Amino acid sequence: MKHSYLALFIAASLTPNFYAHAAQSAANTDSIERIEVAGQTIKSQGLSVKDATINGPFGDNLALQDIARSVTPISSELIEQLNITTLQDVLAVSPNTYSASGFGAPSLPTIRGQLGELFQDGTRRQAGNNGFGVPLSFNSVEQIDVVKGAPPVLFGSSQRNGGFVNLHSKAASTDESKGKVKLSAGRWDQYSAQVDYTAPIIKDKVGLRVSYEHLDEGSYYDYSGTKSDSLFAALRILPDDKSSWDINFELYQVEFTDNAGINRPTQALIDDGLYITGQGVQANGSTVPAAGSIVSPTGQVKIDRSTVLTDPDNQNEATTYLIHSIYKRELSANASLKNITYFQHLQREEIAQNSFVEIIDGADTAQNRTELTYRWNSDQQTIFAFDVRYNKVLGYSQFTTEADLPIDLTGPLSNRRIPLTDAQKARLVELSPGVFVSPGGQYDLDNDGSGDFNLSDTTDSRSWQTGLAIQQDSDWGDKLHTSVGYRVDFYDVEANDPIAPQGQVAASDSINEILHSGQVSFNYKLNSDYTTYGAASYNEATSNSMAGGTSLGGDNAISAQNFATENTLVEFGLKYAPTDRDWYADGAVFSQRRSLRNRDGSNTGIRTTGFESQVFYDAYPYWLSAGYSYIDARYDNSASSQDSAQVIDAFDNSRPDIIAGTGVGAPSFTAFAPSNRQVQGIPEQSFSFNGNYSINSKWQMGFSGLYTKSYPLDFLATVKIRDQYTLNVNTSYAFTPSTKLRLDVNNVTNQKNWRPVFEGGYFGATLAFPELPINAKLTLTHNF
């Protein structure tokens, strides 16, 4: 008997990629015992979302099918397979994540038609002002979780509620040494290099990981490029078998381009690349771009799609560093503790020739959240959380004299530049020689009852956010699981004008608010393969300006409207995750009402309903995925606004053969009456697909594609982006088990696609972003 068990043990040990099933039978007591071993190859390549573990938003160590939300976890293997390098790339695999270009450098995700939040290791990162901010480096990232709907109660009240992305930092190894070198070169002189190495310092106790990435990228677009350096270090400490401590640090420095795309987006431009020429003229005869300028068309030409609103003399750079600490300890058989600490410092400076200025002279954010999980019995668990977040921002802004529609991009660079007049300077404050910004408050110098200054986002503000949360997870038998959560956040906010006009007492204000959020959900296992779920949440959120700061309004007060964004979600779904098959699939129907922050600081209600689905198949030599989205996004009987009402307002009617202009002049800020119109800039339907085939153990070939249905670019739907698609192909060859060369060819059919420039549709009648033509990148990876 013991020899039979020994034989079974040896067979299992020598075949680690097989699972064993043993069956025995005996005809009588004298028969010889038989052990039958049957095996099946494990075919997973680590590219299916089914096998991912989700940590953070709803608890720790959760399987995808056990989370009552639409979630797409993207592993490090999947990040590499899909060549994900920006937040926009997640739309290749996660439904309902179509996004605007974010002025060429997206800093926030777009989920279900609205900006979402960006978290890392469970804490909210500083990011852009309405999506425009500092580019994101993936040098520190091990896994990306894309979650639809507002953040859960454990993460707390935030600003953006379409959904969120939670980045998981790379972790150090305490038991083995390994490293990777990655070099890439692409079209338009795009080069990058990354070195990543981890090793134990004390075996099974302390490990260190260091990753460095350098980018030096030219661009298809005129006067554009990116240069960046990211240094990431991770330390893992395992004091004993009941606790762990991960400490991460990243330093990131970047010079990048604010790319506003092409102005004057007529239907002829979108469909045929035809651009109307002629510089706008002010009422006083000046050709410097300004509000109310009118263009007399001089012709219509085929514009080179690389000719965009950039300037070689623009300055745009940022430096940030982040520290994360994650400490976990098992206190007893029933209780565990997790403490997360986060600190980030950000500095940014952009001084553009079109008079736009955004200078963050220092933004500091610190957060600490402690979670105590107590398991009362095998069926009941409670999570208690105490959270404190501090945010301080000193920043200067000026965007009130920008004017894009009057500019003739086909003319000299001087067409794009906006030197300020003495009258304009008088409504601003000189920050440094030749750099004028808005004050952080309004002042009536001549006592005529109206303010004499232009206001932007200038602020010296600080905020304390203190949150208390509780979440109860319950199992009601083997099939039904429920979760109920509630959180309250106490806000203490103060804002000051850091650059008041000479002779004026700096404006300041403070406010205290209490915000609530709650959630309820259920999972019900229909059988071992299918799980159905439902979720509902209510969330009160904030509206902030650059770097999460708070600006004073025209009345020199912090608007209570900044704390009045109510958001709701109702979602039902079905998840298919069989343990004995290579498939995963899910689908969800949802209804979300949320608030969108407008440029003037007000909030606009938007209601979205829709359906989304994703399917994965992962079994060597194949890997396939597909995602489909349908979304009906409408203003919820709410007002909206645009830079101009419609593109034809920029032109007169002197050339009706080219365009029937209205002669209103542009830009001409337009507020639209409350309505239930379709939200501009969002495709109603989209379909994505990806695949990979291993020809043999060394050679692989893959593909990906995205299709979007026609959608309106502007509020009045006078211009539409037609149905469009993008196809990409890739192939890789492993010269050795450690060395691989990969070729990516993107937009292989060279489609002339477009997308919006800015979230929320504010520039829908003013700008459109031309996507890249066919391009290729070669990547060499060596593991050691």
Side-chain angles (χ1 to χ4, degrees), residues 238-557:
L238 303 177
D240 50 48
D241 60 353
K242 297 182 182 298
S243 58
S244 65
W245 190 12
D246 288 284
I247 306 171
N248 306 321
F249 171 81
E250 181 181 9
L251 173 63
Y252 180 59
Q253 192 279 331
V254 61
E255 298 176 18
F256 64 104
T257 302
D258 173 359
N259 187 342
I262 298 177
N263 63 342
R264 304 180 181 178
T266 62
Q267 197 63 58
L269 176 68
I270 301 299
D271 292 347
D272 303 311
L274 296 177
Y275 183 84
I276 301 174
T277 60
Q279 184 76 354
V281 180
Q282 299 182 42
N284 62 7
S286 172
T287 58
V288 173
S293 296
I294 298 176
V295 180
S296 297
T298 58
Q300 194 172 33
V301 300
K302 192 91 168 179
I303 192 170
D304 191 319
R305 290 166 59 89
S306 65
T307 304
V308 290
L309 278 169
T310 54
D311 193 297
D313 291 341
N314 287 352
Q315 302 174 44
N316 197 11
E317 59 183 1
T319 300
T320 185
Y321 61 84
L322 304 89
I323 301 172
H324 281 92
S325 167
I326 306 166
Y327 177 76
K328 298 179 181 180
R329 181 165 181 83
E330 182 183 330
L331 301 176
S332 68
N334 297 326
S336 61
L337 178 76
K338 179 166 72 171
N339 181 271
I340 302 173
T341 302
Y342 153 77
F343 177 79
Q344 181 174 3
H345 174 79
L346 170 68
Q347 288 185 289
R348 178 176 178 225
E349 180 175 274
E350 178 176 5
I351 302 173
Q353 297 302 306
N354 69 344
S355 75
F356 177 83
V357 176
E358 183 169 289
I359 297 173
I360 300 175
D361 213 13
D364 295 304
T365 304
Q367 183 173 352
N368 182 275
R369 183 170 72 247
T370 299
E371 298 175 13
L372 176 65
T373 301
Y374 190 83
R375 179 166 289 278
W376 304 94
N377 53 49
S378 60
D379 298 326
Q380 301 294 327
Q381 172 182 285
T382 305
I383 303 175
F384 304 92
F386 176 70
D387 203 345
V388 178
R389 182 180 176 92
Y390 173 76
N391 192 62
K392 187 180 188 308
V393 178
L394 174 60
Y396 307 93
S397 176
Q398 149 55 10
F399 51 66
T400 61
T401 55
E402 287 182 81
D404 296 325
L405 276 174
I407 295 169
D408 183 351
L409 272 178
T410 65
L413 282 174
S414 58
N415 280 5
R416 314 176 187 190
R417 296 177 172 174
I418 304 178
L420 300 177
T421 65
D422 289 340
Q424 289 172 322
K425 292 177 182 178
R427 297 187 61 84
L428 301 169
V429 180
E430 191 169 20
L431 176 65
S432 59
V435 178
F436 288 83
V437 298
S438 298
Q442 186 59 272
Y443 306 91
D444 182 10
L445 302 183
D446 54 12
N447 298 313
D448 65 351
S450 61
D452 296 319
F453 293 87
N454 297 343
L455 297 186
S456 301
D457 284 332
T458 296
T459 186
D460 180 4
S461 62
R462 62 113 181 117
S463 67
W464 283 97
Q465 175 186 350
T466 305
L468 297 170
I470 184 171
Q471 178 176 306
Q472 178 67 34
D473 299 318
S474 305
D475 290 321
W476 309 98
D478 296 333
K479 292 183 176 292
L480 179 63
H481 174 84
T482 62
S483 180
V484 180
Y486 168 76
R487 174 162 173 154
V488 59
D489 282 283
F490 303 90
Y491 278 87
D492 178 9
V493 183
E494 177 184 297
N496 305 278
D497 180 2
I499 188 168
Q502 187 174 4
Q504 300 297 307
V505 177
S508 64
D509 191 29
S510 62
I511 193 170
N512 293 280
E513 294 286 345
I514 300 176
L515 303 187
H516 303 269
S517 60
Q519 66 191 40
V520 59
S521 66
F522 74 87
N523 298 70
Y524 185 78
K525 288 190 175 183
L526 302 175
N527 53 44
S528 60
D529 293 345
Y530 290 94
T531 302
T532 186
Y533 72 88
S537 74
Y538 171 82
N539 174 278
E540 294 177 345
T542 64
S543 292
N544 307 110
S545 59
M546 56 181 173
T550 301
S551 301
L552 297 173
D555 58 355
N556 288 342

Side-chain angles (χ1 to χ4, degrees), residues 6 365 575 765 773:
L6 178 61
T365 304
K575 298 185 178 184

